[in-house]
């Protein structure tokens, strides 16, 4: 996949696609045929500081660690982004999620992995 701006982290996505974080401050979603599906900053109007780790949960939501803003955001397929973690992170780098609702965050600023539980209720 050419023309990425400092690719950093990559994660598989549903339907054979994948997600890539870029140093320039964006996260891009690609189809299984390696075509750009969307940019998260464009789709959601979200401004990243320095996006790092990315993963996709069982619902198809994309989770992104932002090193500069010290947050982890969830980007659902439909709806608005949700900030899952906004405190207790010094330099969130990698993220992973389990099928049991656990979010694992590699915090390079504290040399540890932090574990959180999360669940996002659908809007009513």
């Amino acid at each position: 996949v050419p023309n990425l701006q400092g690719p950093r982290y990559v994660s598989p996505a549903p339907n054979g696609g994948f997600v890539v974080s870029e140093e320039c401050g964006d996260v891009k979603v690609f189809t299984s045929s390696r075509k750009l599906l969307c940019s998260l900053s464009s789709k959601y109007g979200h401004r990243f500081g320095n996006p790092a780790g990315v993963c996709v949960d069982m619902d198809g939501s994309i989770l992104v660690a932002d090193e500069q803003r010290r947050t982890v955001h969830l980007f659902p397929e439909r709806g608005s982004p949700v900030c899952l973690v906004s405190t207790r992170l010094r330099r969130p780098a990698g993220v992973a999620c389990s099928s049991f609702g656990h979010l694992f965050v590699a915090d390079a600023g504290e040399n540890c992995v932090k574990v959180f539980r999360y669940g996002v209720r659908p809007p009513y």
Side-chain angles (χ1 to χ4, degrees):
V1 177
N3 302 320
L4 293 171
Q5 302 296 313
R8 299 190 68 205
Y9 292 81
V10 63
S11 174
N15 303 320
F18 58 98
V19 179
V20 179
S21 62
E22 296 179 305
E23 269 188 275
C24 72
D26 204 354
V27 176
K28 293 185 177 168
V29 182
F30 292 87
T31 66
S32 59
S33 59
R34 298 180 296 282
K35 299 226 185 300
L36 179 64
L37 183 64
C38 73
S39 151
L40 294 187
S41 62
S42 295
K43 180 178 178 178
Y44 294 94
H46 183 83
R47 289 188 53 117
F48 292 99
N50 188 18
V54 292
C55 67
V56 180
D57 70 9
M58 299 292 290
D59 295 327
S61 297
I62 299 169
L63 289 83
V64 180
D66 191 322
E67 284 182 328
Q68 184 179 4
R69 297 189 178 198
R70 299 178 180 178
T71 60
V72 176
H73 275 79
L74 178 140
F75 296 85
E77 288 185 313
R78 291 178 187 84
S80 300
V82 176
C83 184
L84 295 179
V85 184
S86 61
T87 60
R88 300 187 350 225
L89 295 176
R90 284 189 52 204
R91 203 173 99 215
V95 292
C97 46
S98 76
S99 57
F100 300 103
H102 289 101
L103 170 64
F104 303 94
V105 181
D107 191 335
E110 292 190 16
N111 295 316
C112 66
V113 173
K114 296 179 179 177
V115 182
F116 302 91
R117 285 193 59 76
Y118 79 98
V120 179
R121 294 190 177 117
Y124 294 100

